[in-house]
PDB file of all heavy atoms in Angstrom:
ATOM      1  N   CYS A 130      54.815  36.816 -81.722  1.00 94.00           N
ATOM      2  CA  CYS A 130      54.118  36.330 -82.879  1.00 94.00           C
ATOM      3  C   CYS A 130      53.545  37.419 -83.765  1.00 94.00           C
ATOM      4  O   CYS A 130      52.984  38.362 -83.271  1.00 94.00           O
ATOM      5  CB  CYS A 130      53.040  35.460 -82.235  1.00 94.00           C
ATOM      6  SG  CYS A 130      51.899  34.852 -83.528  1.00 94.00           S
ATOM      7  N   PHE A 131      53.617  37.150 -85.077  1.00 87.00           N
ATOM      8  CA  PHE A 131      53.058  38.200 -86.079  1.00 87.00           C
ATOM      9  C   PHE A 131      51.587  38.137 -86.121  1.00 87.00           C
ATOM     10  O   PHE A 131      50.992  38.978 -86.669  1.00 87.00           O
ATOM     11  CB  PHE A 131      53.784  38.104 -87.385  1.00 87.00           C
ATOM     12  CG  PHE A 131      53.470  36.803 -88.061  1.00 87.00           C
ATOM     13  CD1 PHE A 131      52.407  36.692 -89.022  1.00 87.00           C
ATOM     14  CD2 PHE A 131      54.272  35.723 -87.896  1.00 87.00           C
ATOM     15  CE1 PHE A 131      52.043  35.541 -89.637  1.00 87.00           C
ATOM     16  CE2 PHE A 131      54.068  34.470 -88.580  1.00 87.00           C
ATOM     17  CZ  PHE A 131      52.944  34.415 -89.469  1.00 87.00           C
ATOM     18  N   ARG A 132      51.019  37.071 -85.484  1.00 86.00           N
ATOM     19  CA  ARG A 132      49.538  36.948 -85.485  1.00 86.00           C
ATOM     20  C   ARG A 132      49.091  37.133 -84.086  1.00 86.00           C
ATOM     21  O   ARG A 132      48.021  36.630 -83.615  1.00 86.00           O
ATOM     22  CB  ARG A 132      49.021  35.630 -86.082  1.00 86.00           C
ATOM     23  CG  ARG A 132      49.340  35.523 -87.565  1.00 86.00           C
ATOM     24  CD  ARG A 132      48.497  34.444 -88.162  1.00 86.00           C
ATOM     25  NE  ARG A 132      48.750  34.423 -89.618  1.00 86.00           N
ATOM     26  CZ  ARG A 132      49.408  33.316 -90.243  1.00 86.00           C
ATOM     27  NH1 ARG A 132      49.743  32.243 -89.585  1.00 86.00           N
ATOM     28  NH2 ARG A 132      49.625  33.390 -91.476  1.00 86.00           N
ATOM     29  N   ARG A 133      49.778  37.832 -83.232  1.00 87.00           N
ATOM     30  CA  ARG A 133      49.518  37.860 -81.769  1.00 87.00           C
ATOM     31  C   ARG A 133      48.227  38.532 -81.451  1.00 87.00           C
ATOM     32  O   ARG A 133      47.695  38.346 -80.394  1.00 87.00           O
ATOM     33  CB  ARG A 133      50.621  38.511 -80.964  1.00 87.00           C
ATOM     34  CG  ARG A 133      51.007  39.887 -81.342  1.00 87.00           C
ATOM     35  CD  ARG A 133      52.305  40.432 -80.641  1.00 87.00           C
ATOM     36  NE  ARG A 133      52.430  39.747 -79.295  1.00 87.00           N
ATOM     37  CZ  ARG A 133      53.017  40.316 -78.318  1.00 87.00           C
ATOM     38  NH1 ARG A 133      53.516  41.513 -78.452  1.00 87.00           N
ATOM     39  NH2 ARG A 133      53.041  39.779 -77.145  1.00 87.00           N
ATOM     40  N   GLU A 134      47.657  39.301 -82.415  1.00 80.00           N
ATOM     41  CA  GLU A 134      46.399  39.972 -82.081  1.00 80.00           C
ATOM     42  C   GLU A 134      45.271  39.125 -82.413  1.00 80.00           C
ATOM     43  O   GLU A 134      44.127  39.369 -82.048  1.00 80.00           O
ATOM     44  CB  GLU A 134      46.261  41.258 -83.009  1.00 80.00           C
ATOM     45  CG  GLU A 134      47.508  42.126 -82.914  1.00 80.00           C
ATOM     46  CD  GLU A 134      47.128  43.529 -82.431  1.00 80.00           C
ATOM     47  OE1 GLU A 134      46.011  43.701 -81.996  1.00 80.00           O
ATOM     48  OE2 GLU A 134      48.059  44.301 -82.516  1.00 80.00           O
ATOM     49  N   THR A 135      45.497  37.915 -83.108  1.00 80.00           N
ATOM     50  CA  THR A 135      44.321  37.119 -83.336  1.00 80.00           C
ATOM     51  C   THR A 135      44.454  35.645 -82.712  1.00 80.00           C
ATOM     52  O   THR A 135      43.467  34.984 -82.634  1.00 80.00           O
ATOM     53  CB  THR A 135      44.213  36.857 -84.981  1.00 80.00           C
ATOM     54  OG1 THR A 135      45.531  36.430 -85.479  1.00 80.00           O
ATOM     55  CG2 THR A 135      43.838  38.121 -85.637  1.00 80.00           C
ATOM     56  N   VAL A 136      45.664  35.222 -82.457  1.00 84.00           N
ATOM     57  CA  VAL A 136      45.795  33.902 -81.881  1.00 84.00           C
ATOM     58  C   VAL A 136      44.988  33.784 -80.538  1.00 84.00           C
ATOM     59  O   VAL A 136      44.861  34.717 -79.764  1.00 84.00           O
ATOM     60  CB  VAL A 136      47.275  33.433 -81.600  1.00 84.00           C
ATOM     61  CG1 VAL A 136      47.959  33.164 -82.873  1.00 84.00           C
ATOM     62  CG2 VAL A 136      48.000  34.531 -80.676  1.00 84.00           C
ATOM     63  N   GLY A 137      44.338  32.594 -80.430  1.00 79.00           N
ATOM     64  CA  GLY A 137      43.576  32.333 -79.280  1.00 79.00           C
ATOM     65  C   GLY A 137      42.147  32.918 -79.275  1.00 79.00           C
ATOM     66  O   GLY A 137      41.387  32.526 -78.449  1.00 79.00           O
ATOM     67  N   GLU A 138      41.823  33.529 -80.415  1.00 65.00           N
ATOM     68  CA  GLU A 138      40.566  34.291 -80.376  1.00 65.00           C
ATOM     69  C   GLU A 138      39.282  33.460 -80.704  1.00 65.00           C
ATOM     70  O   GLU A 138      38.476  33.180 -79.847  1.00 65.00           O
ATOM     71  CB  GLU A 138      40.606  35.446 -81.398  1.00 65.00           C
ATOM     72  CG  GLU A 138      40.749  36.765 -80.635  1.00 65.00           C
ATOM     73  CD  GLU A 138      40.822  37.963 -81.524  1.00 65.00           C
ATOM     74  OE1 GLU A 138      40.533  37.817 -82.697  1.00 65.00           O
ATOM     75  OE2 GLU A 138      41.190  38.969 -80.993  1.00 65.00           O
ATOM     76  N   SER A 139      39.180  32.996 -81.985  1.00 67.00           N
ATOM     77  CA  SER A 139      37.909  32.485 -82.387  1.00 67.00           C
ATOM     78  C   SER A 139      37.925  30.936 -82.604  1.00 67.00           C
ATOM     79  O   SER A 139      37.093  30.493 -83.399  1.00 67.00           O
ATOM     80  CB  SER A 139      37.424  33.295 -83.559  1.00 67.00           C
ATOM     81  OG  SER A 139      38.462  33.198 -84.598  1.00 67.00           O
ATOM     82  N   GLY A 140      38.764  30.288 -82.060  1.00 76.00           N
ATOM     83  CA  GLY A 140      38.816  28.804 -82.115  1.00 76.00           C
ATOM     84  C   GLY A 140      39.026  28.250 -83.487  1.00 76.00           C
ATOM     85  O   GLY A 140      39.895  28.776 -84.258  1.00 76.00           O
ATOM     86  N   THR A 141      38.414  27.142 -83.868  1.00 88.00           N
ATOM     87  CA  THR A 141      38.715  26.417 -85.054  1.00 88.00           C
ATOM     88  C   THR A 141      37.879  26.705 -86.164  1.00 88.00           C
ATOM     89  O   THR A 141      36.600  27.006 -85.982  1.00 88.00           O
ATOM     90  CB  THR A 141      38.530  24.927 -84.642  1.00 88.00           C
ATOM     91  OG1 THR A 141      39.482  24.606 -83.500  1.00 88.00           O
ATOM     92  CG2 THR A 141      38.886  23.896 -85.738  1.00 88.00           C
ATOM     93  N   LEU A 142      38.413  26.522 -87.404  1.00 92.00           N
ATOM     94  CA  LEU A 142      37.575  26.804 -88.639  1.00 92.00           C
ATOM     95  C   LEU A 142      36.400  25.844 -88.591  1.00 92.00           C
ATOM     96  O   LEU A 142      36.568  24.625 -88.420  1.00 92.00           O
ATOM     97  CB  LEU A 142      38.552  26.441 -89.742  1.00 92.00           C
ATOM     98  CG  LEU A 142      37.982  26.891 -91.191  1.00 92.00           C
ATOM     99  CD1 LEU A 142      38.067  28.364 -91.394  1.00 92.00           C
ATOM    100  CD2 LEU A 142      38.814  26.237 -92.224  1.00 92.00           C
ATOM    101  N   ALA A 143      35.214  26.422 -88.782  1.00 93.00           N
ATOM    102  CA  ALA A 143      34.008  25.555 -88.682  1.00 93.00           C
ATOM    103  C   ALA A 143      33.905  24.672 -89.944  1.00 93.00           C
ATOM    104  O   ALA A 143      34.472  24.966 -90.999  1.00 93.00           O
ATOM    105  CB  ALA A 143      32.793  26.372 -88.601  1.00 93.00           C
ATOM    106  N   GLU A 144      33.208  23.571 -89.889  1.00 94.00           N
ATOM    107  CA  GLU A 144      33.004  22.593 -91.033  1.00 94.00           C
ATOM    108  C   GLU A 144      32.462  23.335 -92.277  1.00 94.00           C
ATOM    109  O   GLU A 144      32.945  23.144 -93.443  1.00 94.00           O
ATOM    110  CB  GLU A 144      32.063  21.482 -90.641  1.00 94.00           C
ATOM    111  CG  GLU A 144      32.546  20.467 -89.653  1.00 94.00           C
ATOM    112  CD  GLU A 144      33.541  19.534 -90.227  1.00 94.00           C
ATOM    113  OE1 GLU A 144      33.780  19.507 -91.489  1.00 94.00           O
ATOM    114  OE2 GLU A 144      34.137  18.757 -89.513  1.00 94.00           O
ATOM    115  N   VAL A 145      31.352  24.203 -91.996  1.00 96.00           N
ATOM    116  CA  VAL A 145      30.840  24.848 -93.091  1.00 96.00           C
ATOM    117  C   VAL A 145      31.834  25.918 -93.765  1.00 96.00           C
ATOM    118  O   VAL A 145      31.792  26.131 -94.986  1.00 96.00           O
ATOM    119  CB  VAL A 145      29.538  25.686 -92.640  1.00 96.00           C
ATOM    120  CG1 VAL A 145      29.870  26.744 -91.537  1.00 96.00           C
ATOM    121  CG2 VAL A 145      28.803  26.260 -93.726  1.00 96.00           C
ATOM    122  N   GLU A 146      32.699  26.486 -92.982  1.00 95.00           N
ATOM    123  CA  GLU A 146      33.730  27.316 -93.564  1.00 95.00           C
ATOM    124  C   GLU A 146      34.744  26.475 -94.355  1.00 95.00           C
ATOM    125  O   GLU A 146      35.156  26.950 -95.372  1.00 95.00           O
ATOM    126  CB  GLU A 146      34.508  28.112 -92.413  1.00 95.00           C
ATOM    127  CG  GLU A 146      33.642  29.163 -91.800  1.00 95.00           C
ATOM    128  CD  GLU A 146      34.282  29.761 -90.536  1.00 95.00           C
ATOM    129  OE1 GLU A 146      34.796  29.006 -89.801  1.00 95.00           O
ATOM    130  OE2 GLU A 146      34.147  31.041 -90.374  1.00 95.00           O
ATOM    131  N   PHE A 147      35.044  25.335 -93.859  1.00 97.00           N
ATOM    132  CA  PHE A 147      36.038  24.475 -94.605  1.00 97.00           C
ATOM    133  C   PHE A 147      35.389  24.031 -95.957  1.00 97.00           C
ATOM    134  O   PHE A 147      36.005  23.905 -96.925  1.00 97.00           O
ATOM    135  CB  PHE A 147      36.454  23.251 -93.776  1.00 97.00           C
ATOM    136  CG  PHE A 147      37.512  22.519 -94.439  1.00 97.00           C
ATOM    137  CD1 PHE A 147      38.743  23.082 -94.764  1.00 97.00           C
ATOM    138  CD2 PHE A 147      37.410  21.153 -94.812  1.00 97.00           C
ATOM    139  CE1 PHE A 147      39.735  22.332 -95.467  1.00 97.00           C
ATOM    140  CE2 PHE A 147      38.343  20.388 -95.475  1.00 97.00           C
ATOM    141  CZ  PHE A 147      39.553  21.091 -95.774  1.00 97.00           C
ATOM    142  N   ASP A 148      34.007  23.820 -95.917  1.00 97.00           N
ATOM    143  CA  ASP A 148      33.314  23.423 -97.139  1.00 97.00           C
ATOM    144  C   ASP A 148      33.534  24.545 -98.180  1.00 97.00           C
ATOM    145  O   ASP A 148      33.802  24.280 -99.364  1.00 97.00           O
ATOM    146  CB  ASP A 148      31.774  23.404 -96.917  1.00 97.00           C
ATOM    147  CG  ASP A 148      31.412  22.103 -96.049  1.00 97.00           C
ATOM    148  OD1 ASP A 148      32.193  21.218 -95.973  1.00 97.00           O
ATOM    149  OD2 ASP A 148      30.229  22.084 -95.603  1.00 97.00           O
ATOM    150  N   ARG A 149      33.468  25.876 -97.783  1.00 97.00           N
ATOM    151  CA  ARG A 149      33.567  26.960 -98.666  1.00 97.00           C
ATOM    152  C   ARG A 149      35.051  26.976 -99.199  1.00 97.00           C
ATOM    153  O   ARG A 149      35.310  27.340-100.395  1.00 97.00           O
ATOM    154  CB  ARG A 149      33.260  28.262 -97.997  1.00 97.00           C
ATOM    155  CG  ARG A 149      31.749  28.364 -97.870  1.00 97.00           C
ATOM    156  CD  ARG A 149      31.361  29.830 -97.425  1.00 97.00           C
ATOM    157  NE  ARG A 149      30.099  29.787 -96.750  1.00 97.00           N
ATOM    158  CZ  ARG A 149      29.854  30.162 -95.532  1.00 97.00           C
ATOM    159  NH1 ARG A 149      30.895  30.604 -94.673  1.00 97.00           N
ATOM    160  NH2 ARG A 149      28.638  29.980 -94.873  1.00 97.00           N
ATOM    161  N   VAL A 150      36.060  26.688 -98.265  1.00 97.00           N
ATOM    162  CA  VAL A 150      37.398  26.629 -98.779  1.00 97.00           C
ATOM    163  C   VAL A 150      37.623  25.558 -99.826  1.00 97.00           C
ATOM    164  O   VAL A 150      38.253  25.850-100.825  1.00 97.00           O
ATOM    165  CB  VAL A 150      38.404  26.349 -97.555  1.00 97.00           C
ATOM    166  CG1 VAL A 150      39.655  25.968 -97.911  1.00 97.00           C
ATOM    167  CG2 VAL A 150      38.378  27.507 -96.528  1.00 97.00           C
ATOM    168  N   VAL A 151      37.042  24.415 -99.587  1.00 98.00           N
ATOM    169  CA  VAL A 151      37.232  23.307-100.670  1.00 98.00           C
ATOM    170  C   VAL A 151      36.472  23.732-101.944  1.00 98.00           C
ATOM    171  O   VAL A 151      37.019  23.498-102.991  1.00 98.00           O
ATOM    172  CB  VAL A 151      36.586  22.019-100.101  1.00 98.00           C
ATOM    173  CG1 VAL A 151      36.571  20.925-101.122  1.00 98.00           C
ATOM    174  CG2 VAL A 151      37.419  21.491 -98.864  1.00 98.00           C
ATOM    175  N   ASP A 152      35.304  24.379-101.848  1.00 97.00           N
ATOM    176  CA  ASP A 152      34.694  24.851-103.087  1.00 97.00           C
ATOM    177  C   ASP A 152      35.621  25.927-103.773  1.00 97.00           C
ATOM    178  O   ASP A 152      35.768  25.745-105.047  1.00 97.00           O
ATOM    179  CB  ASP A 152      33.432  25.615-102.731  1.00 97.00           C
ATOM    180  CG  ASP A 152      32.339  24.609-102.369  1.00 97.00           C
ATOM    181  OD1 ASP A 152      32.522  23.454-102.683  1.00 97.00           O
ATOM    182  OD2 ASP A 152      31.296  24.986-101.778  1.00 97.00           O
ATOM    183  N   TYR A 153      36.240  26.777-103.089  1.00 97.00           N
ATOM    184  CA  TYR A 153      37.137  27.730-103.686  1.00 97.00           C
ATOM    185  C   TYR A 153      38.289  27.138-104.334  1.00 97.00           C
ATOM    186  O   TYR A 153      38.642  27.419-105.470  1.00 97.00           O
ATOM    187  CB  TYR A 153      37.674  28.751-102.670  1.00 97.00           C
ATOM    188  CG  TYR A 153      38.642  29.707-103.203  1.00 97.00           C
ATOM    189  CD1 TYR A 153      38.157  30.948-103.869  1.00 97.00           C
ATOM    190  CD2 TYR A 153      40.059  29.636-103.145  1.00 97.00           C
ATOM    191  CE1 TYR A 153      39.088  31.836-104.358  1.00 97.00           C
ATOM    192  CE2 TYR A 153      40.901  30.415-103.611  1.00 97.00           C
ATOM    193  CZ  TYR A 153      40.484  31.637-104.299  1.00 97.00           C
ATOM    194  OH  TYR A 153      41.344  32.421-104.821  1.00 97.00           O
ATOM    195  N   LEU A 154      38.840  26.011-103.645  1.00 97.00           N
ATOM    196  CA  LEU A 154      39.997  25.385-104.293  1.00 97.00           C
ATOM    197  C   LEU A 154      39.608  24.497-105.491  1.00 97.00           C
ATOM    198  O   LEU A 154      40.360  24.399-106.375  1.00 97.00           O
ATOM    199  CB  LEU A 154      40.637  24.467-103.195  1.00 97.00           C
ATOM    200  CG  LEU A 154      41.303  25.096-102.009  1.00 97.00           C
ATOM    201  CD1 LEU A 154      41.759  24.226-100.905  1.00 97.00           C
ATOM    202  CD2 LEU A 154      42.493  26.001-102.479  1.00 97.00           C
ATOM    203  N   ARG A 155      38.363  24.016-105.441  1.00 97.00           N
ATOM    204  CA  ARG A 155      37.922  23.296-106.654  1.00 97.00           C
ATOM    205  C   ARG A 155      37.777  24.217-107.908  1.00 97.00           C
ATOM    206  O   ARG A 155      38.091  23.838-108.960  1.00 97.00           O
ATOM    207  CB  ARG A 155      36.551  22.672-106.363  1.00 97.00           C
ATOM    208  CG  ARG A 155      36.075  21.591-107.359  1.00 97.00           C
ATOM    209  CD  ARG A 155      34.814  20.936-106.993  1.00 97.00           C
ATOM    210  NE  ARG A 155      34.997  20.068-105.799  1.00 97.00           N
ATOM    211  CZ  ARG A 155      34.403  20.153-104.650  1.00 97.00           C
ATOM    212  NH1 ARG A 155      33.576  21.285-104.353  1.00 97.00           N
ATOM    213  NH2 ARG A 155      34.550  19.292-103.666  1.00 97.00           N
ATOM    214  N   ARG A 156      37.312  25.450-107.554  1.00 97.00           N
ATOM    215  CA  ARG A 156      37.158  26.436-108.585  1.00 97.00           C
ATOM    216  C   ARG A 156      38.496  27.101-109.017  1.00 97.00           C
ATOM    217  O   ARG A 156      38.618  27.842-110.107  1.00 97.00           O
ATOM    218  CB  ARG A 156      36.240  27.539-108.104  1.00 97.00           C
ATOM    219  CG  ARG A 156      34.781  27.233-108.178  1.00 97.00           C
ATOM    220  CD  ARG A 156      33.908  28.340-107.773  1.00 97.00           C
ATOM    221  NE  ARG A 156      33.814  28.531-106.293  1.00 97.00           N
ATOM    222  CZ  ARG A 156      34.323  29.590-105.615  1.00 97.00           C
ATOM    223  NH1 ARG A 156      34.892  30.564-106.226  1.00 97.00           N
ATOM    224  NH2 ARG A 156      34.123  29.669-104.377  1.00 97.00           N
ATOM    225  N   THR A 157      39.555  26.830-108.246  1.00 97.00           N
ATOM    226  CA  THR A 157      40.885  27.530-108.489  1.00 97.00           C
ATOM    227  C   THR A 157      41.963  26.441-108.489  1.00 97.00           C
ATOM    228  O   THR A 157      42.823  26.249-107.612  1.00 97.00           O
ATOM    229  CB  THR A 157      41.214  28.501-107.322  1.00 97.00           C
ATOM    230  OG1 THR A 157      39.868  29.238-107.017  1.00 97.00           O
ATOM    231  CG2 THR A 157      42.191  29.595-107.692  1.00 97.00           C
ATOM    232  N   PRO A 158      42.006  25.638-109.635  1.00 97.00           N
ATOM    233  CA  PRO A 158      42.964  24.490-109.715  1.00 97.00           C
ATOM    234  C   PRO A 158      44.445  25.047-109.773  1.00 97.00           C
ATOM    235  O   PRO A 158      45.322  24.158-109.594  1.00 97.00           O
ATOM    236  CB  PRO A 158      42.597  23.749-110.913  1.00 97.00           C
ATOM    237  CG  PRO A 158      41.745  24.766-111.745  1.00 97.00           C
ATOM    238  CD  PRO A 158      41.119  25.686-110.772  1.00 97.00           C
ATOM    239  N   ALA A 159      44.691  26.326-110.035  1.00 97.00           N
ATOM    240  CA  ALA A 159      46.064  26.825-109.986  1.00 97.00           C
ATOM    241  C   ALA A 159      46.630  26.698-108.651  1.00 97.00           C
ATOM    242  O   ALA A 159      47.919  26.634-108.503  1.00 97.00           O
ATOM    243  CB  ALA A 159      45.990  28.310-110.424  1.00 97.00           C
ATOM    244  N   VAL A 160      45.805  26.628-107.594  1.00 98.00           N
ATOM    245  CA  VAL A 160      46.394  26.296-106.202  1.00 98.00           C
ATOM    246  C   VAL A 160      46.770  24.906-106.059  1.00 98.00           C
ATOM    247  O   VAL A 160      45.947  23.997-106.033  1.00 98.00           O
ATOM    248  CB  VAL A 160      45.364  26.723-105.163  1.00 98.00           C
ATOM    249  CG1 VAL A 160      45.964  26.370-103.763  1.00 98.00           C
ATOM    250  CG2 VAL A 160      44.967  28.140-105.250  1.00 98.00           C
ATOM    251  N   ARG A 161      48.086  24.668-106.059  1.00 98.00           N
ATOM    252  CA  ARG A 161      48.598  23.313-105.973  1.00 98.00           C
ATOM    253  C   ARG A 161      49.182  22.859-104.630  1.00 98.00           C
ATOM    254  O   ARG A 161      49.730  21.788-104.437  1.00 98.00           O
ATOM    255  CB  ARG A 161      49.663  23.079-107.072  1.00 98.00           C
ATOM    256  CG  ARG A 161      49.154  23.558-108.426  1.00 98.00           C
ATOM    257  CD  ARG A 161      50.104  23.130-109.595  1.00 98.00           C
ATOM    258  NE  ARG A 161      50.120  21.691-109.607  1.00 98.00           N
ATOM    259  CZ  ARG A 161      49.288  20.955-110.254  1.00 98.00           C
ATOM    260  NH1 ARG A 161      48.206  21.430-110.843  1.00 98.00           N
ATOM    261  NH2 ARG A 161      49.427  19.613-110.320  1.00 98.00           N
ATOM    262  N   GLU A 162      49.115  23.837-103.683  1.00 98.00           N
ATOM    263  CA  GLU A 162      49.610  23.547-102.289  1.00 98.00           C
ATOM    264  C   GLU A 162      48.839  24.336-101.320  1.00 98.00           C
ATOM    265  O   GLU A 162      48.594  25.553-101.499  1.00 98.00           O
ATOM    266  CB  GLU A 162      51.111  24.052-102.249  1.00 98.00           C
ATOM    267  CG  GLU A 162      51.706  23.905-100.914  1.00 98.00           C
ATOM    268  CD  GLU A 162      53.172  24.464-100.871  1.00 98.00           C
ATOM    269  OE1 GLU A 162      53.597  25.034-101.960  1.00 98.00           O
ATOM    270  OE2 GLU A 162      53.814  24.246 -99.904  1.00 98.00           O
ATOM    271  N   VAL A 163      48.339  23.648-100.319  1.00 98.00           N
ATOM    272  CA  VAL A 163      47.643  24.394 -99.182  1.00 98.00           C
ATOM    273  C   VAL A 163      48.532  24.201 -97.952  1.00 98.00           C
ATOM    274  O   VAL A 163      49.161  23.159 -97.656  1.00 98.00           O
ATOM    275  CB  VAL A 163      46.295  23.569 -98.872  1.00 98.00           C
ATOM    276  CG1 VAL A 163      45.700  24.156 -97.587  1.00 98.00           C
ATOM    277  CG2 VAL A 163      45.283  23.891 -99.980  1.00 98.00           C
ATOM    278  N   ILE A 164      48.769  25.332 -97.284  1.00 98.00           N
ATOM    279  CA  ILE A 164      49.648  25.531 -96.118  1.00 98.00           C
ATOM    280  C   ILE A 164      48.695  25.604 -94.878  1.00 98.00           C
ATOM    281  O   ILE A 164      48.106  26.677 -94.767  1.00 98.00           O
ATOM    282  CB  ILE A 164      50.491  26.730 -96.383  1.00 98.00           C
ATOM    283  CG1 ILE A 164      51.373  26.573 -97.694  1.00 98.00           C
ATOM    284  CG2 ILE A 164      51.470  26.849 -95.065  1.00 98.00           C
ATOM    285  CD1 ILE A 164      52.063  27.792 -98.096  1.00 98.00           C
ATOM    286  N   PHE A 165      48.707  24.648 -94.125  1.00 97.00           N
ATOM    287  CA  PHE A 165      47.942  24.746 -92.872  1.00 97.00           C
ATOM    288  C   PHE A 165      48.721  25.588 -91.806  1.00 97.00           C
ATOM    289  O   PHE A 165      49.850  25.239 -91.535  1.00 97.00           O
ATOM    290  CB  PHE A 165      47.749  23.333 -92.260  1.00 97.00           C
ATOM    291  CG  PHE A 165      46.725  22.509 -92.782  1.00 97.00           C
ATOM    292  CD1 PHE A 165      46.725  22.093 -94.128  1.00 97.00           C
ATOM    293  CD2 PHE A 165      45.645  22.150 -92.050  1.00 97.00           C
ATOM    294  CE1 PHE A 165      45.706  21.239 -94.723  1.00 97.00           C
ATOM    295  CE2 PHE A 165      44.503  21.413 -92.533  1.00 97.00           C
ATOM    296  CZ  PHE A 165      44.600  21.004 -93.922  1.00 97.00           C
ATOM    297  N   THR A 166      47.991  26.616 -91.383  1.00 92.00           N
ATOM    298  CA  THR A 166      48.734  27.430 -90.418  1.00 92.00           C
ATOM    299  C   THR A 166      47.626  27.783 -89.264  1.00 92.00           C
ATOM    300  O   THR A 166      46.626  27.128 -89.244  1.00 92.00           O
ATOM    301  CB  THR A 166      49.412  28.567 -90.955  1.00 92.00           C
ATOM    302  OG1 THR A 166      50.047  29.411 -90.068  1.00 92.00           O
ATOM    303  CG2 THR A 166      48.365  29.569 -91.680  1.00 92.00           C
TER     304      THR A 166
END
Side-chain angles (χ1 to χ4, degrees):
C130 176
F131 65 93
R132 296 198 179 112
R133 61 188 326 211
E134 308 240 9
T135 53
V136 287
E138 253 177 14
S139 53
T141 302
L142 194 71
E144 289 284 355
V145 63
E146 289 172 319
F147 188 60
D148 289 344
R149 287 193 204 115
V150 166
V151 172
D152 283 346
Y153 177 83
L154 294 171
R155 190 174 292 115
R156 284 183 275 113
T157 319
V160 176
R161 306 192 63 84
E162 176 182 6
V163 168
I164 303 163
F165 278 66
T166 184

